[in-house]
Every structure is written in C-alpha cells, then in structure tokens.
Amino acid sequence: MKSIVSIQDLSKTYDSGFRALKSINLDIKDGEIFALLGPNGAGKTTLISIICGIVTASQGTVTVNGFDNITAYRQTRELIGLVPQELTLGAFETVWNTIRFSRGLFGKKKDNTYLEQLLKDLSLFDKKDSELRELSGGMKRRVLIAKALSHQPKIIFLDEPTAGVDVELRKDMWNIVRRLRDSGVTIILTTHYIEEAEEIADRIGIISNGELLLVEDKRTLMHNLGKKQLIIELKESVSSLQQELTDYDLVLSEEGDQLIYTYDSMSDNAGITDLLQTIKMVGLELKDLHINKSSLEDIFVDLVKEDQMRTERVEVKV
Amino acid sequence: MNIQGIKVIYYQEMLRAWETLFQTLASPVISTCLYFIVFGSAIGSRIQSIDGVSYGLFIVPGLTMLSLLTQSIANASFGIFFPKFTGSIYEIHSAPISFFEIIIGFVGAAASKSLIIGIVILITASFFVDLQIAHPIWMATFLILTCISFSLFGFIIGLWANDFEKLQVIPLLVITPLVFLGGSFYSINMLPPFWQTVTLFNPVVYLISGFRWSFFEVSDVSVGVSLAVILGFLFVCIAIVGWMFKTGYRVKQ
Ligand SMILES: Nc1ncnc2c1ncn2[C@@H]1O[C@H](COP(=O)(O)OP(=O)(O)OP(=O)(O)O)[C@@H](O)[C@H]1O
Ligand SMILES: [Mg+2]
C-alpha cells in the first residue's frame, strides 16, 4: 500500500530547550488506522501538530500525499482534518456557524446538505443553534469532530479522542472511525490505552521520550509478542503434573498451587475448554481462575521503562 | 488564494459585531453625544471660534478620530486575541490559508466596523452642528487609511498580547493619551511654543490635523505631511506584521 504521510528525520526542540521529538521516521499507509501509543509527554501531540502545521519542526521533513507540508502547505492541509486533544472551541458562536466557518476556512464552498448530514451523524443536529459555551464536554468533543470533518478530509488526526468521553460516545466514536476508514479515509489516533489501540488500529506505533520505539502491524505484534497467560489456582497444592496434563503447555508454580497456561491471544479459545475438562478429569479442584492482562501492555511497559532507564543513564553521565 | 477562507473569517468577525450591534454602535454614539454636550455646548459656548471655525464644529474631526482609533484597535486586537485565548486558533494554523489572507479577513473586518462607526459618528455630529465637508475625497481617504492602519496595529497587539492585561495596556497607556494630547479638542497653536514642539512628536496630531483640514481647510500642519505620516504608520505596521510572520514571533511555536 502506498504511504500517504511520510515523516523523515523529524526533530523538535521547543524554545525552552526541551527536545520533544528525536529524529522520527514514520510512514502512514493510505487508508489505514494507525494508533500512536505513548505515555504523557511522549511527544504525540507535538508530532501531530507538526504534521498539521501548528508547530514548526526544528529539523526533518513531512510529506503528505507527496507534497511537502511547508512549501506546499495548501495542498497538504486541505487533505487533513484535526481533532485536538483539548476542548479548544470558541464560546459565543453557534454550532452551525462554527462548522460552516471550518468548512470555509479550508477553502471549500458551502454545502449545507453535507453539513446537516454530518451533524445528524454526530447526534448534534438538535444542538445546531446552541452556543458552544452551552454544550457539555462530550458535545464539545463531537463539535470538534464535526469541525474536523466539515471539509471532507482524506486524513483525520484524532488526538486522544476518548479522553473524558463516556462509553456511549466512545462506541459512537469507533463507529465513526470505522465508517470513515471504510470510505477510504486514513485515520491516525493517539491514546494512552493499549486496549484501545488493540481494538481499533491496523498498525501501532509506540512512542516514548520523543522516540519512536516500535512500529508494527497489530496482528504481527500480537502474534509475536501477544501471549496471554491463564492462571489456574488450585485448592490443594500438587507436587507434579499428572500424565494427562503434560501434553499442554503448562507450568506448575513453585509452591505447586498454581498452573500457568500460556497461549496466543489471537486464536479464539486456544484449547482452554479442553484443558479445563482435563483438569476436572484428573480430579484437581479449582480455587480461582484469572487471565494475566494482555501482554501487549507488558511489552509497552517494558519498552517504555527500558527507554526511560536508558535516558536516565545518559542524563546521569552528562 | 483561499477566497472562501477570507470570506468566512470576515463574515464571522462581522457577525460578532452584528450580534452585539447595540453595544457596537451605542457606545460610540453615546460618548459622541456626551462630548458634544459637555465640550460643544457647555464649555464651547464660552470659547471663541478657532481659525474661524466654531468650537462645536472644530472638535468633530478629533472626536471621530478618537473613536476610530480606539475602536479599530479594540476590535482587531480582540478578534485575534480571543481565539488565541480559547485555543481555537489551532484551526486557523492548520488551515490551507496564508498569513496574508488571515490578515485580510481579520483586519478587513475590523476596519469595516470602524468605518461604519466613523460614519455613524459623523451623522450623529451633524445633528448638533452644521457639518460641511470641503474635500470629501480627502476626508474618505483619511478615514479609510486610519481604519486600516489602526486595525492592523490592533491586530499586532492582539498577536503580541498573551494575557488580557497586555491587551489593554497599549490602548490605555499609549493611545488614549496620544489622542487627547493630539489636538482633538484644541488647536496646537493655542499651546505655548515649547509644548507645540513636543506635540509635533505625537503622530496623532498629524492624523487629526489632516482629517480636520478635509472638513474646514484649517490645519496645524500641512496636509501632505499628514498623509505621509499616516502612510508611514501603515508601512511600519505592515513591516512589523511581515517580520512576525517570517520569524514566527508570537505566531507559532
Ligand atoms: N510549547 C511548549 N514548550 C515547551 N515544551 C513543550 C511545549 N509543548 C509541549 N512541550 C513538552 O514536550 C513534551 C511532549 O509534549 P506532547 O504534548 O507532545 O506530549 P503528548 O505525548 O501529547 O502527551 P499527553 O499524552 O500528555 O498528551 C512534553 O514534555 C511537554 O512538556
Ligand atoms: Mg497530547
């Protein structure tokens, strides 16, 4: 698939002297959902802001659909819609006027039919004539989405779209994202939550301390690294495994009161039912069962921790 | 050229004035009336005519300029400051619109508003005095150039200010004194010679003098100098805006 956004050797040092991005290289494929995962202060917003033209890069280039985002900013920016992280909206305009403003600002002729449909899709139509300051946080977020979509962009950036959003709106949001993707729009979103990236993204990038630590197809990532563990607690400890159980990929804990079963989280139940039946058959009694959380989180935590430790070490040396 | 973009910025700014139409027009109209009652009638009746122009008539151009300057600066600075304050400016930064086009939208709207206010003030004044305009084209030129250059100046203040205090400080501490000491209410010939010389460093003197000349053909300084000063001020503002854009000063991180 051809890449729609291409980032080369991108660095950003803020006026304060802080290095927020360190030589980022990244290609976003046309039509994919890309999740940028990273802790607070990792540089996600900075990266997005540079691509969109809000912050100027200190070094490196960004091309969007083959155009340089500085020398050909008109061509790149009209393709992009941005939903910012903060609820940055005016106060006294009405919802309707503000989305008409956004559409015009991006150089598009007015199209009330499209905008009305957009408001309906986002359940905002009945708020059409309300002033922005009268809206709740969730509604404001919907307005920001409407503004970003008002000029029918080919690429959408969602900067932490689920922050401060209830379950309902989150579900709506993912529906909108999937529908946009189906219509050929490329989506780049940032998040702190691994489950979110797992749920929606095609590819995942992990960023920490201004460095891109890993970019991988979600399936490959989950397949290679995404093992899950089922922990089976036994009522009474055993000293060794029964013959029937040795066929499974099982490990007995040191105290002999836990069986640990590791399996690939991408395959459906991975023989868990079988295993549980066998356990019952050999006469072991269960006290409790639990699953160790998606180990993508562990990878993430490991990667980020490792990176932070490395940075600290460098800082100590300096 | 992103014509749609310019149009929506202009329209949005005008809409803001339209929605607060009463405040937008009432405050300059009421203050003009008050000035006329106090200076024109109460005090003015005891003042001899200046250069053959009755005092009530003499203060009209200065009063108009006073409102024009403060309104242009207030409108334009607030127009760009508020989106910065709420953060909604991100959208303008991320849009396919040039800095030049953004300025046309914001400054054009602010200048249009002041122009309308200026005309309304002149109409109000004509109810108090018998207003004659000797050189209508010069009058319009001064009016329009003042609206544009001071709106541009206001835009610069709005970009520069990063809190409400800074937004107020220049209009309050610089513009108002300059206008009051700029011969709105007197001819600088009435001052002692020393103060006359000092006054010549005040650019507003040239503005008011030129504008007054277009009505009554009386002026403190020659009209050509007045025109040069206002054009000079406009170019200084353009240069500052150009520099801000080039270096990104207070515009982008
Ligand atoms: N204008 C600025 N001046 C100086 N430093 C800044 C500025 N904006 C951001 N930073 C710093 O750059 C780093 C990256 O910030 P950024 O907002 O990109 O992080 P983020 O990954 O979006 O974090 P979060 O998940 O909290 O939104 C942070 O350490 C932040 O303090
Ligand atoms: Mg952020």
Side-chain angles (χ1 to χ4, degrees), chain A residues 45 85 159-160:
Chain A
T45 302
Q85 179 174 2
D159 198 354
E160 263 158 71

Side-chain angles (χ1 to χ4, degrees), chain B residues 121-141:
Chain B
I121 289 175
L122 288 177
I123 294 171
T124 313
S126 70
F127 289 112
F128 290 88
V129 287
D130 180 23
L131 201 59
Q132 305 281 337
I133 304 169
H135 303 281
I137 302 216
W138 277 97
M139 197 282 285
T141 309

Side-chain angles (χ1 to χ4, degrees), chain A residues 229-274:
Chain A
Q229 287 182 327
L230 175 68
I231 316 280
I232 304 161
E233 287 186 34
L234 302 175
K235 267 213 173 118
E236 278 153 41
S237 304
V238 291
S239 51
S240 65
L241 288 177
Q242 275 85 346
Q243 182 66 49
E244 290 86 341
L245 288 172
T246 48
D247 294 346
Y248 295 90
D249 191 5
L250 271 181
V251 179
L252 186 65
S253 70
E254 271 181 26
E255 286 86 30
D257 59 348
Q258 278 188 350
L259 296 175
I260 300 161
Y261 176 60
T262 310
Y263 63 100
D264 182 349
S265 63
M266 292 307 279
S267 52
D268 286 341
N269 59 16
I272 291 177
T273 341
D274 269 2

Side-chain angles (χ1 to χ4, degrees), chain A residues 53 56 74 77 102 105 147, chain B residues 2 91 93 95 101 252-253:
Chain A
T56 47
R74 284 187 204 267
R77 291 186 194 172
S102 301
L105 198 60
K147 279 166 83 75
Chain B
N2 183 351
E91 195 177 22
H93 281 324
E101 289 157 352
K252 268 186 200 181
Q253 280 150 357

Side-chain angles (χ1 to χ4, degrees), chain A residues 203-306:
Chain A
R203 279 201 311 154
I204 295 175
I206 297 179
I207 185 171
S208 167
N209 268 316
E211 281 175 286
L212 205 52
L213 302 178
L214 174 143
V215 177
E216 192 80 79
D217 198 85
K218 182 180 71 184
R219 281 176 188 284
T220 324
L221 191 69
M222 299 298 291
H223 191 77
N224 292 349
L225 306 158
K227 304 275 190 226
K228 276 189 180 173
Q229 287 182 327
L230 175 68
I231 316 280
I232 304 161
E233 287 186 34
L234 302 175
K235 267 213 173 118
E236 278 153 41
S237 304
V238 291
S239 51
S240 65
L241 288 177
Q242 275 85 346
Q243 182 66 49
E244 290 86 341
L245 288 172
T246 48
D247 294 346
Y248 295 90
D249 191 5
L250 271 181
V251 179
L252 186 65
S253 70
E254 271 181 26
E255 286 86 30
D257 59 348
Q258 278 188 350
L259 296 175
I260 300 161
Y261 176 60
T262 310
Y263 63 100
D264 182 349
S265 63
M266 292 307 279
S267 52
D268 286 341
N269 59 16
I272 291 177
T273 341
D274 269 2
L275 172 67
L276 292 179
Q277 259 165 7
T278 316
I279 290 175
K280 198 173 165 197
M281 211 175 65
V282 299
L284 292 176
E285 273 192 88
L286 305 186
K287 194 166 91 187
D288 203 359
L289 273 182
H290 55 93
I291 292 173
N292 255 4
K293 257 295 178 191
S294 148
S295 47
L296 177 55
E297 181 150 356
D298 300 337
I299 307 163
F300 175 69
V301 171
D302 284 352
L303 274 172
V304 169
K305 219 184 256 159
E306 205 175 280

Side-chain angles (χ1 to χ4, degrees), chain A residues 40-41 43-46 85-86 159-160 190 192:
Chain A
N40 285 130
K44 303 181 293 295
T45 302
T46 305
Q85 179 174 2
E86 310 286 337
D159 198 354
E160 263 158 71
T190 72
H192 298 140

